[in-house]
Amino acid sequence: MKSKFLNSIIILGSTVISVFSFTIGYKYVLAVPSSYQYSCPTELLQGTMLEANCLTTDGKSQPFTTLILKGIHVNSSGQLTQNALSGTSTFLNECYSFSPYLYITMGIIKAKCKNLSHTYKNTSIRLEEITNHNGKLTYEWDRIIDQTAFKITTHAFYNHYAEFSLPKNNNSKAIMSVIAKDVMATCVPGASLYGHTSGILHSECKDLTNGRKIYWGQVDLFHYKIYPYSKKGTVVIVNGINDKNSTMFVPSSGKSYYNKQR
């Protein structure tokens, strides 16, 4: 991956993919701590929004920049967990939303959140993959997409490979992973993946309830060297809370499946 402040994400495709959630102990393989705090001397937490005063590459201070935090939830023990970074955050449903019970320092959120017994516990979490891109906060989307697509495919391959007209082998798993990445990548314009050559003819995405996100893509399978002129509508669902419900597949009802999801 190129060394730069921001690697963006693009979501492509006619496939819907449901992405794994990643807890503190079980994250995508190469997750790295955020680096923005070293060039953003002032940081604040406003609900699920991170605000910071960051420096540009020439050392000039910029007005506050903001970033909506992705995939942070509270588990049954009252602990903050970092799940799929494509999903919305729901931790405010279970935590105090004001200082001194909720604050951030050097890229670490500290909070008081309740468990299943409705007892509030002190908890903290280190933010992942957030960088300062020339004075603006941003996620390292390229790495997130690659790793998320790999996790999704690992989960969904054996149940759904035939829907993509693929044989059951490791090469097919790799093809599905690329399709998943392309479907997701086109949903975030501005990333380095945006506009790259892919087999995604059309794509859409939207947030769902309970920290989930769904992607729809129209995939030209010929681009991935499967069958000429074969097109598949693909769904990708990123489930930020329960990774067992994350998957990618070809819905029999086509785009209407995507349209009905809330």
Side-chain angles (χ1 to χ4, degrees), residues 65-226:
T65 175
T66 62
L67 183 71
I68 299 295
L69 297 177
K70 300 292 187 180
I72 300 178
H73 309 283
V74 177
N75 64 21
S76 59
S77 298
Q79 300 293 316
L80 289 170
T81 62
Q82 176 66 73
N83 298 343
L85 287 170
S86 294
T88 55
S89 294
T90 62
F91 65 90
L92 285 184
N93 296 335
E94 309 297 336
C95 305
Y96 285 117
S97 60
F98 51 86
S99 181
Y101 302 110
L102 179 67
Y103 65 98
I104 187 167
T105 177
M106 288 300 292
I108 298 176
I109 294 177
K110 297 186 178 182
K112 187 178 286 289
C113 307
K114 63 183 178 182
N115 57 23
L116 288 181
S117 300
H118 298 282
T119 300
Y120 282 86
K121 303 288 186 179
N122 291 322
T123 179
S124 63
I125 191 170
R126 181 189 68 183
L127 296 180
E128 306 282 355
E129 303 287 6
I130 300 176
T131 64
N132 170 13
H133 176 51
N134 196 26
K136 294 184 179 181
L137 294 170
T138 187
Y139 278 106
E140 288 280 8
W141 284 117
D142 285 359
R143 182 161 51 224
I144 293 168
I145 291 176
D146 282 343
Q147 294 160 357
T148 299
F150 173 80
K151 286 289 187 180
I152 293 171
T153 305
T154 299
H155 175 71
F157 176 73
Y158 291 104
N159 289 329
H160 300 290
Y161 69 90
E163 298 169 13
F164 296 88
S165 304
L166 291 168
K168 187 178 179 181
N169 56 43
N170 287 333
N171 184 56
S172 296
K173 184 181 292 186
I175 290 174
M176 279 184 64
S177 183
V178 172
I179 292 174
K181 180 179 71 174
D182 285 352
V183 170
M184 289 186 289
T186 53
C187 220
V188 182
S192 63
L193 291 176
Y194 184 71
H196 81 291
T197 301
S198 75
I200 309 304
L201 305 175
H202 170 75
S203 67
E204 299 178 28
C205 64
K206 61 185 178 182
D207 290 330
L208 303 178
T209 57
N210 299 322
R212 298 170 299 145
K213 194 177 187 73
I214 188 170
Y215 303 86
W216 163 264
Q218 186 68 32
V219 179
D220 180 1
L221 295 183
F222 179 61
H223 177 85
Y224 304 98
K225 303 185 184 304
I226 304 176

Side-chain angles (χ1 to χ4, degrees), residues 20-24 26-28 70-74 81-87 125 238-243:
F20 288 88
S21 68
F22 306 97
T23 64
I24 290 299
Y26 177 63
K27 292 175 179 291
Y28 46 88
K70 300 292 187 180
I72 300 178
H73 309 283
V74 177
T81 62
Q82 176 66 73
N83 298 343
L85 287 170
S86 294
I125 191 170
V238 177
N239 193 302
I241 297 177
N242 186 348
D243 62 4

